[in-house]
Each structure stands twice: as C-alpha cells, then as structure tokens.
C-alpha cells in the first residue's frame, strides 16, 4: 500500500515522534543526548524550523516544531537521523539502523491544543514513572517553559507567549497548565500520533483541507476509549 503524503504546511506546528528500532534504546549515555540536542539545534536553525517543546526518552523522542517552509521538518529529521546514527555506530562499534522507520507527526492547531501538546510532551517522563515531577527530568524543555531556565534550542510559540506579557507571568501560568493535565489528553495525543491526523477544531480542519485541496479523514466524535497512553 502506498504511503499517505505527509500533511505539511509552513507556519503550522507539528508534533513529531521518532522511536528506536523495535523500541530499543537510542540514547545510552548523557553525552548521546547532548549530541542529539546540539545536532537538532544546528539543523533546525539551518532548516528554518522552530522547536517549542521536546523530550528525549530512552527509546524515543517527542518534538513540537513549526517549519518555515514546506518540507523543512522532513529534511531536518532525515539529516538528524543520519548524522546521529553515524555518531552512535562509531561511538559504540555497532552497525545497522537505529530508528524505527519513518517518524510520525501530526499538525496542531494554534490554540489551546498547542499548549496541551507542550504539556503532553514534557510530562512523558512522569507518565513513564521515571521521575515524580517534570522538573526532575533533565532532558526536556520543561525547565525552560515552566522555570525559565536557559535553553538555546527552544523558541517559544506565540501561544505560549500569550500566557503573559513577561516570563514573570508566563512561567506560573504554564506551570498551572501542566498541573491540569489529565489521562484523556494523553489518550487523545496518542491517537492522533497513531493516525497522524491534524489536532484542532472543525475550523482548523477545514482550513487545512482548503490549503491542501483534499479531504482529511474525519476524527471520531465523543470521548476517546480508555487505553494506556503511548508515551
């Protein structure tokens, strides 16, 4: 079966996930994570992409990125994947693939859905039982977005900026938002990642369809079925 073309529009944020092959680790030491983040920053700067939120788990990564031009995220992820695999193979004397096929992604509307995506991404270590609080996990954007810690990779989205005039207002507002996370949100993001459907209201979907010139598979109404969230 032919692959469906990615839904990719400049200026519209995408939630991206890439897993290690067969869900095996893709990070082995802290230096590996440092290398990945350095490469990601270099490539997103060159590729006209802005990273708003991220988390590096043991066997997968989540990113929230806005591309400046169509196809920019694909180019960044392809270059990053190749560069990082070469680094890992050289560092650990291994061969072969590291990633599980193509990355998955879905568009996220420029509204409260986007801030929920921030929250979903940064709470991954908590849902996985790795830490008690997101601030305890070093390898995510939470400390930048919630505590104001410097992070050269992160570029705040306009939705985040609207939380307050200054960081003095934004930081506590964002921390409050994170505390309001619920299991239903996690299930929704897991579902959208699996099907790679845009996340937003009907108006957002209609706008995307008009720009693409084609219909998108409609999401099912009602509450999502209870299931274990995909972290």
């Amino acid at each position: 079966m032919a692959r469906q073309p990615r839904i990719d529009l400049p200026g519209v944020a995408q939630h991206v996930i890439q897993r290690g092959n067969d869900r095996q680790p893709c990070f082995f030491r802290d230096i590996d994570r440092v290398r990945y983040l350095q490469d990601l920053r270099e490539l997103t700067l060159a590729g006209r992409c802005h990273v708003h939120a991220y988390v590096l788990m043991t066997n997968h990564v989540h990113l929230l990125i806005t591309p400046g031009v169509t196809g920019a995220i694909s180019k960044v992820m392809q270059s990053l994947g190749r560069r990082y695999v070469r680094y890992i193979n050289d560092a650990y004397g291994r061969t072969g693939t590291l990633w599980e096929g193509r990355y998955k992604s879905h568009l996220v509307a420029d509204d409260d859905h986007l801030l929920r995506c921030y929250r979903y991404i940064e709470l991954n270590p908590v849902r996985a039982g790795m830490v008690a609080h997101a601030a305890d996990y070093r390898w995510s954007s939470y400390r930048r977005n919630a505590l104001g810690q410097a992070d050269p990779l992160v570029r705040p989205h306009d939705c985040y900026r609207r939380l307050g005039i200054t960081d003095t207002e934004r930081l506590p507002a964002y921390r409050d938002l994170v505390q309001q996370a619920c299991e239903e949100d996690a299930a929704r993001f897991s579902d959208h990642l699996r099907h790679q459907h845009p996340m937003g209201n009907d108006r957002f979907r209609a706008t995307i369809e008009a720009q693409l010139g084609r219909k998108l598979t409609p999401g099912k109404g009602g509450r999502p079925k209870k299931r274990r969230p995909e972290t």
Side-chain angles (χ1 to χ4, degrees):
M1 182 182 294
R3 289 175 175 173
Q4 290 294 320
R6 293 191 186 278
I7 303 174
D8 181 9
L9 294 169
V12 181
Q14 293 186 37
H15 176 198
V16 173
I17 182 173
Q18 187 161 35
R19 293 192 178 278
N21 189 44
D22 198 26
R23 302 207 176 195
Q24 294 299 305
C26 43
F27 302 104
F28 303 94
R29 298 180 296 168
D30 285 352
I31 190 63
D32 302 337
R33 295 175 174 86
V34 171
R35 175 59 181 263
Y36 183 93
L37 293 175
Q38 289 175 340
D39 286 348
L40 177 60
R41 181 169 184 263
E42 178 183 329
L43 291 167
T44 50
L45 283 173
R48 298 173 60 187
C49 293
H50 295 152
V51 177
H52 313 299
Y54 68 86
V55 67
L56 309 187
M57 302 295 281
T58 303
N59 62 3
H60 67 284
V61 301
H62 284 271
L63 307 170
L64 181 62
I65 311 178
T66 296
V69 295
T70 301
I73 292 179
S74 291
K75 290 179 181 178
V76 165
M77 294 304 293
Q78 184 179 61
S79 297
L80 177 62
R82 289 175 176 172
R83 183 184 294 191
Y84 185 70
V85 169
R86 285 197 300 269
Y87 158 75
I88 288 292
N89 286 352
D90 290 346
Y92 297 100
R94 67 185 298 279
T95 60
T97 186
L98 182 70
W99 303 112
E100 186 178 74
R102 302 172 83 207
Y103 69 87
K104 292 183 179 181
S105 65
H106 67 89
L107 303 187
V108 186
D110 182 3
D111 55 23
D112 67 316
H113 290 90
L114 194 132
L115 290 176
R116 290 181 182 183
C117 190
Y118 266 74
R119 180 174 71 187
Y120 169 80
I121 288 172
E122 294 171 353
L123 285 176
N124 261 255
V126 177
R127 287 194 301 274
M130 299 172 71
V131 293
H133 191 278
D136 298 330
Y137 194 73
R138 179 181 174 187
W139 306 106
S140 86
S141 52
Y142 179 84
R143 294 183 182 183
R144 166 60 189 91
N145 293 323
L147 305 178
Q149 180 175 300
D151 189 330
L153 175 61
V154 175
R155 173 78 171 264
H157 192 279
D158 286 346
C159 281
Y160 175 87
R161 293 183 186 278
R162 290 196 289 268
L163 288 173
I165 297 175
T166 66
D167 270 355
T168 302
E169 297 178 356
R170 293 184 197 114
L171 297 176
Y174 183 70
R175 291 196 296 269
D176 287 344
L177 181 73
V178 172
Q179 290 179 349
Q180 297 168 24
C182 62
E183 182 181 344
E184 184 173 314
D185 271 353
R188 288 188 64 204
F189 276 100
S190 177
D191 185 66
H192 278 75
L193 275 171
R194 187 167 60 255
H195 297 293
Q196 302 188 74
H197 292 164
M199 174 174 275
N201 57 28
D202 291 342
R203 182 177 180 181
F204 175 69
R205 183 180 293 276
T207 300
I208 298 301
E209 289 178 341
Q211 292 185 61
L212 295 174
R214 62 185 175 91
K215 282 286 186 180
L216 303 175
T217 304
K220 294 182 179 179
R223 296 170 63 89
K225 295 180 179 179
K226 292 284 186 178
R227 63 185 301 275
R228 184 177 180 181
E230 181 179 345
T231 59

